[in-house]
Amino acid sequence: MANVLIIGGGIIGLSTAYYLQKAGHDVTVLDKGDMLDSCSYGNAGMIVPSHFIPLATPGMLSQGIKWMFNSKSPFYVKPSLNPDLIKWGLKFMKKATADHVERSAVPLTELSLLSKKLYEDLNAEPGFDFDLVEKGILMFYKSEKAAEEEAHLAEKGRELGLDMAVLNVEECKQLQPNLKLDVLGAVHYRCDAHLSPNKLMTALIKYLKASGAKLLSNTEVTKIESDNGKVTAVIAGSQKFTADEYVIAGGSWSPAIAKMLKVNVLLMPGKGYSFNVPDESGTMHIPALLAEARVAITPMNGGLRYGGTMELDAINTRINMNRVKGIVESVPKYFPDLKPAVPEQKDIWFGFRPSSADGLPYIGRTKNYGNLTLATGHGMMGLSLGAATGLLTSEIISGKTTTIKVADFAPDRN
């Protein structure tokens, strides 16, 4: 069995550690933070096999340009001469084709369904109750254009074997009679689920510590050494770590980590915001996605978690209140009785989704180093794809045939 060093203690890094530990490897996880407030905590908690369409789509180009002139829009790219952003944008434009969407659907669906099954198995393990609820997710829409698009996606989803149903308003009301609606209808993604990311992360950390894995927080990697096509050591401050195998699972920080080895990882951080509001009346018990507004609402821990926006920019600590107001203002347009107040800045969580240009994650070996594996670039689906990525990365390191094919996620793909 191998000694494995994982850089990154978010859902991808910890899931990888979990499956490696179960396979009998010795695991060490390094994280630059305290492992208590990453993207893995503040997300909407959705498990989404329904999301088989990558970010890079033909319609996203034209829509993205329109949104750039609206400070409250759900998607924004800050104009910049940053070479990485320019490279990212050029590849995004190259991949935003109908052919790419078609070819990505099967691998993304397989990855998502594997992850959902693994979460179901994990939730049944002692000490791993993280409020997994399998009621699906409702994608609500207000416009005829969105209704047509969502119906088309539902048809495609059914062709891929996913359980999806187009509902009219009355059928939506029957599912949640206490929720007042102002919509044309919804697609019920019955194949989806949701969970509490905070409880999941806490359970993973507790299990890993109890099973002998070393979790080192506030340990930022400053240098990586290599020799003759192999990584030989990782330096974090005054500490030096050696292992047989190395994994980069640093989320939006992965490009900077990989650059220490002259490995190019093309992804951009997509800032998202979320905030929590109590919901004593329990008006919503099935998570909602607002099609036109690109907002997510999840029942969680006795309240509702509101989340949204994708702001591509360099990693920063700014909170753009206009984007948060955009989330708040969109909600009553769909649900007239839900009127969340604009939260104070201290109550707003934000995190950075590591977004690849073609919308597919990076899972696999790099061509230049025989003992380096990447597990990053999951965009808005890090939590959803975390369990599957962890298992696949463990299988790759163990030299096993992977449960599903991973060629489409190769880090060195064009």
Side-chain angles (χ1 to χ4, degrees), residues 310-330:
M310 174 71 100
E311 185 179 327
L312 293 181
D313 191 4
I315 292 172
N316 62 78
T317 57
R318 295 188 302 270
I319 291 180
N320 187 327
M321 289 304 294
N322 268 344
R323 302 220 163 276
V324 178
K325 288 174 184 174
I327 296 172
V328 168
E329 291 168 6
S330 69

Side-chain angles (χ1 to χ4, degrees), residues 213-226:
K214 301 179 189 70
L215 304 185
L216 302 178
S217 57
N218 301 309
T219 307
E220 183 171 1
V221 173
T222 52
K223 184 180 178 183
I224 304 178
E225 297 177 349
S226 64

